[in-house]
Amino acid sequence: MSIQIFGLPVSRGVAIGRAVLVASSRVDVPHVFIDPTLIESEVTRMAAARDVVAAEFDVLKRDLPSDAPAELAALLDVHQMLLQDDALIGSAAEWIRDRHYNAEWALSAQLEVLARQFDEMEDAYIRERKADLEQVVERLLRSLSRGLPSAVPAPGMASHDFGGDEPLVLVASDIAPADMLTFKRSVFKGFVTDVGGKTSHTAIVARSMDIPAVVGARQASHLIRQDDCIIIDGDAGLVIVDPSPIVLEEYRFRQRQSELERSRLARLRHTPAVTLDGERVELLANIEMPEDSPVALEAGAVGVGLFRSEFLFMNRAGHLPDEEEQFDAYRRAVEAMKGLPVVIRTVDIGADKPLDGMSASELRHESVLNPALGLRAIRWSLSEPSMFRRQLRALFRAAAHGPVKILIPMLASQREIRQTLDHIAHVRRQLQDAGKPCGEVQLGAMIEVPASALTMPMFLRYFDFVSIGTNDLIQYTLAIDRADEAVAHLYDPWHPAVLHLLASTIAQARAAGKGVSVCGEMAGDPAFTELLLAMGLRSFSMHPTQIASVKQRVLRADTRRLAPLLPQVLESDDPETTSQSVFSPAGAPASAPPLQAMRAG
Ligand code: PEP
Ligand code: MG
């Protein structure tokens, strides 16, 4: 029977495919696609773990004290029986062979399948054996983690490598931003998670992958089973499990339509972003890894407006990247942009971007009550001076290879600004003394805490440019955790308080003759393009995949007409509705292709 699950739409489009459940095992499980040549060794690795666990059970049973209750020995027999049952290891081996999962993933996927079968049992005694099965699998996973590591990940594999052409979609309770990177450029054509908000970092990475995604779908990972056929409607935030043939056909039609729309927009790639009244607008790219630079260029970006450097720090089992490794990554990103500017943000770890599952506060063994208000971004950098200086040195050295600007996240006070500038001055002297080539860089501050938006004159005295992080600015202005789906309906970019902070930040930066851009998700959402242009914004930074649709809006905008309408929107109690009525000229649907674009295409 077909079921519908509602969540939050975070990345547009339609995906249709077979569900791959990333199990939420109590043991942290690495999910890695293995190279096809390593399948049999991975199966052997799993069998070896089974033998180790079987031997452990034998020893436990042998060493039971003579007065131990008889149930204990019986329980160990049950565990041994479950361990040897072909439904566990034999079927997990099939996940390895058919889907190329690593052994840990295969075991947790099979645990998910068997656990559901246990749940459906009438007999209460058998139902309770699910807990035994979980314990056996946990032992196996621990044994695997103690032995040889999993085989090499094969991130570039396509679904035909699995012997089938059916697209795969990922379903999980949650996906850490670091895991999303592993899945980036892998087989998945869409994803669904139980938790998360619209601007959680998992959602941001999904948008950068340009695959349809729904987050905050609460029970999805419990309702969907391995291999179910599902539709992900990333526009409506809807997931349809086991759809009827009619619904499936309708969505296939929509998929074809959106592919046509994409190829039409792609023709705008090399058209300069200039408004009807001749205002030049800079459309920049947000990237997570140096490998994203060519994608940014290909999408027509005129530079990188936000390189989220923290992604270099994730998935490293606690070993942070050293200066050379960082230098190499920044240099590659800069060189790949072929002389276009690259804004690199210093590390923004913490809150919903933990290092290997640990937030910055946890790394320092501190209690974490409100991670979003805790030790994150520049606060963490300032508390780890040698780590911060390593990153700064790498950045200045990379600046010798192309135009680099350094952006500091989450500054709120003069004290933090001064400390930051002291570190920068120190690093510059160090590099000069060591005779290392380093380039000139412009320094920028992210405006993402209301305190900074409200003290702009001070920020403008210290920095060459500012970049507004609307994702956090909204979170901190409205006191809404951006990663919490329970309050996601209250996360409102259209809130008048947010719009006032945005408008005044842009106006003050412009009046001071300093550069200002927006690099939060609002910049890539065409619903805000006219509003931001009316505020005077001329620099937008977004996922490369969003550039074409924002450019389309820019090309048909006339800033001389938009700017005088701004007060009406800012004074409205319902700015969203007001902006739709005042900014859209009657009879010109938002999706109509602009004339210049048609000519340029
Ligand atoms: C923001 O807060 O808007 C931003 C761009 O930074 P991040 O999303 O990485 O916190
Ligand atoms: Mg931010």
Side-chain angles (χ1 to χ4, degrees):
M1 196 191 60
S2 171
I3 51 171
Q4 297 192 347
I5 307 168
F6 291 91
L8 301 167
V10 291
S11 184
R12 306 195 52 165
V14 170
I16 303 172
R18 294 270 158 207
V20 172
L21 253 99
V22 173
S24 45
S25 161
R26 274 179 275 160
V27 178
D28 199 12
V29 172
H31 296 93
V32 173
F33 285 113
I34 56 165
D35 194 275
T37 57
L38 299 170
I39 287 175
E40 288 316 314
S41 63
E42 195 67 357
V43 172
T44 310
R45 191 173 153 257
M46 185 170 64
R50 180 202 46 209
D51 295 345
V52 169
V53 174
E56 282 171 10
F57 285 147
D58 286 342
V59 171
L60 281 171
K61 196 168 168 195
R62 191 195 61 205
D63 294 348
L64 274 182
S66 53
D67 57 348
E71 288 85 358
L72 262 183
L75 194 65
L76 283 171
D77 287 339
V78 170
H79 283 199
Q80 189 70 277
M81 197 185 72
L82 289 168
L83 177 71
Q84 302 296 345
D85 194 321
D86 202 46
L88 181 60
I89 302 285
S91 301
E94 282 171 31
W95 289 114
I96 299 178
R97 291 199 174 98
D98 296 349
R99 286 284 175 80
H100 302 185
Y101 292 176
N102 61 333
E104 289 89 339
W105 189 356
L107 273 169
S108 52
Q110 188 54 20
L111 169 64
E112 206 87 4
V113 170
L114 295 173
R116 282 173 203 276
Q117 291 174 6
F118 275 105
D119 284 342
E120 283 162 11
M121 295 288 180
E122 299 255 312
D123 185 322
Y125 174 80
I126 300 184
R127 254 198 332 266
E128 280 161 20
R129 300 288 65 78
K130 184 175 107 172
D132 296 310
L133 179 70
E134 285 171 349
Q135 286 169 16
V136 169
V137 171
E138 274 184 34
R139 263 184 186 274
L140 279 165
L141 292 173
R142 274 199 210 99
S143 162
L144 281 167
S145 72
R146 286 194 301 266
L148 285 173
S150 192
V152 191
M157 287 162 62
S159 57
H160 58 256
D161 292 326
F162 298 91
D165 277 335
E166 271 200 284
L168 302 176
V169 293
L170 189 67
V171 179
S173 169
D174 192 14
I175 309 171
D179 282 339
M180 282 301 290
L181 280 190
T182 316
F183 293 132
K184 208 164 170 172
R185 302 193 191 98
S186 76
V187 296
F188 299 110
K189 298 287 181 255
F191 85 84
V192 183
T193 63
D194 295 350
V195 301
K198 272 193 173 185
T199 58
S200 60
H201 284 91
T202 304
I204 289 177
V205 179
R207 268 195 288 277
S208 78
M209 289 162 74
D210 199 22
I211 58 173
V214 172
V215 303
R218 302 197 171 214
Q219 291 295 314
S221 73
H222 293 282
L223 297 171
I224 300 171
R225 294 158 189 242
Q226 292 282 359
D227 249 14
D228 272 351
C229 171
I230 65 172
I231 296 173
I232 300 176
D233 180 342
D235 299 311
L238 174 66
V239 182
I240 306 174
V241 188
D242 208 4
S244 68
I246 294 179
V247 171
L248 202 56
E249 196 34 57
E250 190 185 315
Y251 271 97
R252 291 230 154 92
F253 175 73
R254 275 188 46 191
Q255 248 183 339
R256 288 192 293 273
Q257 294 288 94
S258 70
E259 269 151 31
L260 279 176
E261 169 72 6
R262 265 166 207 253
S263 52
R264 197 171 61 74
L265 279 178
R267 287 157 49 199
L268 295 182
R269 211 165 23 216
H270 301 298
T271 308
V274 181
T275 62
L276 291 173
D277 55 321
E279 287 283 310
R280 255 182 195 280
V281 178
E282 190 180 44
L283 300 183
L284 305 161
N286 290 355
I287 65 170
E288 277 102 34
M289 295 302 242
E291 295 72 33
D292 296 334
S293 286
V295 182
L297 273 186
E298 181 58 21
V302 296
V304 168
L306 175 66
F307 178 174
R308 289 184 161 98
S309 68
E310 54 275 9
F311 284 90
L312 295 174
F313 288 61
M314 295 177 181
N315 270 348
R316 312 178 51 99
H319 296 288
L320 301 184
D322 64 18
E323 181 181 326
E324 286 313 308
E325 184 182 342
Q326 289 190 60
F327 164 65
D328 182 58
Y330 305 142
R331 185 184 48 78
R332 280 187 291 126
V334 169
E335 287 179 351
M337 289 308 289
K338 302 184 170 46
L340 294 172
V342 179
V343 179
I344 307 178
R345 178 173 73 184
T346 59
V347 65
D348 181 4
I349 282 295
D352 66 329
K353 283 182 289 189
L355 282 175
D356 303 316
M358 265 190 296
S359 73
S361 313
E362 283 167 314
L363 273 180
R364 288 168 61 86
H365 313 293
E366 286 162 12
S367 67
V368 196
L369 290 178
N370 284 304
L373 303 181
L375 192 68
R376 64 169 286 206
I378 189 63
R379 301 173 183 180
W380 183 52
S381 295
L382 292 176
S383 73
E384 297 282 342
S386 43
M387 181 285 303
F388 189 37
R389 287 182 181 179
R390 251 196 315 277
Q391 178 167 39
L392 290 171
R393 276 195 299 274
L395 287 169
F396 276 102
R397 288 174 55 201
H401 297 262
V404 168
K405 301 183 190 186
I406 297 179
L407 182 61
I408 311 292
M410 226 189 143
L411 286 165
S413 68
Q414 194 211 35
R415 191 185 147 93
E416 287 167 333
I417 296 176
R418 287 222 159 139
Q419 285 179 349
T420 303
L421 297 180
D422 283 350
H423 283 300
I424 288 174
H426 178 90
V427 159
R428 275 185 146 138
R429 276 197 307 275
Q430 253 187 347
L431 288 170
Q432 263 161 14
D433 293 349
K436 294 214 172 158
C438 58
E440 275 310 306
V441 300
Q442 282 191 18
L443 271 189
M446 282 199 78
I447 303 299
E448 47 185 355
V449 194
S452 59
L454 293 169
T455 51
M456 275 299 283
M458 174 176 73
F459 277 81
L460 293 169
R461 277 198 298 280
Y462 284 106
F463 290 97
D464 302 312
F465 69 100
V466 293
S467 185
I468 310 174
T470 47
N471 306 336
D472 278 314
L473 189 62
I474 299 166
Q475 147 163 285
Y476 295 125
T477 304
L478 303 181
I480 301 297
D481 186 337
R482 64 194 262 196
D484 184 351
E485 74 281 0
V487 285
H489 60 292
L490 300 173
Y491 186 94
D492 179 13
W494 288 104
H495 193 292
V498 172
L499 301 188
H500 277 283
L501 288 176
L502 258 172
S504 79
T505 303
I506 295 168
Q508 290 181 70
R510 279 175 63 104
K514 298 276 170 101
V516 53
S517 73
V518 170
C519 61
E521 296 299 294
M522 273 173 97
D525 184 343
F528 293 99
T529 310
E530 282 91 0
L531 175 69
L532 293 171
L533 287 171
M535 289 179 180
L537 190 76
R538 298 293 180 264
S539 174
F540 297 61
S541 191
M542 65 201 82
H543 305 292
T545 52
Q546 296 169 319
I547 289 178
S549 18
V550 171
K551 192 184 283 184
Q552 191 183 43
R553 290 290 184 117
V554 169
L555 293 172
R556 59 192 295 275
D558 182 341
T559 61
R560 285 167 315 186
R561 187 184 73 81
L562 295 175
L565 301 171
L566 180 66
Q568 273 187 64
V569 179
L570 291 182
E571 280 151 29
S572 166
D573 291 343
D574 180 4
E576 182 171 12
T577 312
T578 310
S579 117
Q580 276 159 6
S581 65
V582 301
F583 288 143
S584 306
S591 58
L595 281 177
Q596 303 110 300
M598 299 297 284
R599 276 187 241 118

